[in-house]
Amino acid sequence: MQASDNHLRTRPISVGYLRAFEAVARHLNFRAASEDLSLTQSAVSRQIQALEQEVGSPLFLRHTRAVELTSAGALLLRTVLPALERLDSAVRQIRRSTGRKSVAISTWASFASMWLIPRLEAFQSEHPDIDIRIDATDVSVDLDTTDVDLALRYTTPANAPAGAIRLFGEQLTPVASPWLLKSGHALQQGQDLAHFALIEASDAHRTQHMEWLSWRRWLEAHHFEKLEPKRWLYFNYAHQIAQAALTGQGVALTRMPLVADSLASGDLVEILPGMRLESPLAYWLIVGPRSAMRPEIKAFCDWLTAQAALTRRAIGEAE
């Protein structure tokens, strides 16, 4: 094999040829494929020949009135079909969204599911012409270089980026489902926690700030250092902790802003309301510099800060 042929067969194949390949494979006929693609039959034939040269193997067996896939062609087709479908789907989505107003938000999964998403219907009712995209990730995004407009983050004031808008702080409090409180041992004071499973974040001990979310911190703050619960339950995410409490699996140490709605509805009960623990962490809104002046971004930020004010009142945070 000559050097030029070797280079040809190691570089990525030309994507444009794949349309012709898919059409011929679908019709098993060059004439029908050419009509489908609005090309001449000779043009389709040249594209298939060029693709076969790049791949390095025949893709079709040519017969008098039809063609048939070779084993190499069948192998390639299994990859080409889903790839072209994904490509076409992406193009359709781009075409549909072109010219539409949209807001792209980056936040973490628990905050999205427990606070943001339950409130979004109100914004969508007020602004039905604005599309919303939520990217739930624990990884911080660069608002200068990505297509994300806003970030909602959870950190200390010292670590909040310049220009971040504080939405609300938080307190930690023990909560349980009403039926758990009725089905077993009384839970009226801190010592009674020893009769229940205690639910907390599994990564609460890994970083200095996340230690504030641990039961041990709460127990020490209220002078129950020696208390041992019936058992421990650990989960990765705040929404998992809340779900375990909702289903009566134990008493959860939860973040007030994230469970305020469940407390208001009665789905969860704050069992020791006089023993909340202040957290050094807060919730922040960060607006991308390239997005700040767009009317839909301003509308969403105004709505978000209004919702944050309601949460501050619900958790008893001073204005």
Side-chain angles (χ1 to χ4, degrees):
M1 184 182 296
Q2 296 180 353
S4 59
D5 291 335
N6 184 58
H7 172 70
L8 187 64
R9 294 187 182 181
T10 56
R11 73 183 185 187
I13 63 173
S14 301
V15 176
Y17 299 154
L18 298 181
R19 289 285 181 194
F21 169 71
E22 185 276 334
V24 175
R26 178 158 36 89
H27 294 288
L28 293 178
N29 184 284
F30 277 88
R31 182 184 58 78
S34 66
E35 293 175 356
D36 195 358
L37 296 170
S38 299
L39 296 172
T40 65
Q41 187 170 334
S42 61
V44 172
S45 180
R46 286 194 300 271
Q47 289 192 28
I48 296 300
Q49 289 173 359
L51 180 59
E52 289 176 325
Q53 185 178 8
E54 288 203 48
V55 172
S57 176
L59 301 175
F60 296 99
L61 297 175
R62 277 78 166 170
H63 303 298
T64 303
R65 297 185 178 275
V67 297
E68 107 183 69
L69 282 164
T70 64
S71 58
L75 176 62
L76 183 60
L77 183 63
R78 287 198 292 272
T79 299
V80 166
L81 281 177
L84 288 178
E85 288 172 359
R86 288 195 297 270
L87 178 63
D88 290 340
S89 176
V91 171
R92 286 194 298 269
Q93 183 176 345
I94 291 169
R95 287 171 174 169
R96 285 196 302 267
S97 63
T98 298
R100 293 181 61 86
K101 293 183 288 186
S102 64
V103 180
I105 307 149
S106 173
T107 188
W108 69 104
S110 290
F111 189 76
S113 62
M114 298 178 71
W115 193 90
L116 181 58
I117 292 174
R119 290 166 169 77
L120 268 184
E121 178 59 31
F123 178 81
Q124 293 178 314
S125 296
E126 295 174 21
H127 303 277
D129 59 331
I130 299 177
D131 298 333
I132 302 294
R133 189 186 90 216
I134 298 176
D135 294 332
T137 175
D138 292 332
V139 179
S140 296
V141 297
D142 187 347
L143 297 180
D144 289 318
T145 59
T146 65
D147 62 350
V148 172
D149 301 307
L150 311 171
L152 299 170
R153 289 292 175 242
Y154 177 63
T155 188
T156 61
N159 289 330
I165 301 168
R166 185 182 185 277
L167 297 175
F168 37 78
E170 74 173 5
Q171 296 171 315
L172 304 174
T173 191
V175 302
S177 69
W179 69 266
L180 177 67
L181 300 178
K182 297 175 183 178
S183 63
H185 197 283
L187 186 45
Q188 299 175 345
Q189 54 188 351
Q191 293 92 328
D192 295 332
L193 290 169
H195 301 282
F196 295 85
L198 297 186
I199 309 168
E200 70 172 6
S202 59
D203 58 355
H205 305 281
R206 294 181 183 175
T207 66
Q208 177 183 358
H209 297 311
M210 295 300 284
E211 283 185 1
W212 281 92
L213 307 180
S214 71
W215 266 111
R216 283 302 173 197
R217 175 77 69 168
W218 187 93
L219 292 170
E220 290 172 4
H222 295 293
H223 310 294
F224 299 122
E225 296 92 337
K226 297 182 180 180
L227 186 143
E228 289 296 333
K230 183 177 179 181
R231 63 179 175 274
W232 292 97
L233 282 175
Y234 300 101
F235 296 96
N236 287 344
Y237 298 105
H239 63 272
Q240 296 170 339
I241 293 173
Q243 185 62 36
L246 285 165
T247 54
Q249 297 182 46
V251 181
L253 186 64
T254 57
R255 313 174 194 181
M256 277 292 296
L258 302 187
V259 297
D261 293 343
S262 295
L263 294 175
S265 67
D267 293 332
L268 288 174
V269 176
E270 186 179 10
I271 56 175
L272 300 168
M275 302 177 73
R276 295 180 183 177
L277 182 64
E278 292 289 340
S279 165
L281 299 157
Y283 299 75
W284 305 84
L285 165 63
I286 307 158
V287 184
R290 295 180 297 130
S291 306
M293 300 306 295
R294 285 171 26 214
E296 62 269 30
I297 301 302
K298 186 178 185 306
F300 190 85
C301 290
D302 290 345
W303 171 82
L304 194 69
T305 53
Q307 292 295 315
L310 295 176
T311 295
R312 289 196 297 273
R313 287 198 286 272
I315 64 177
E317 182 176 304
E319 293 291 336

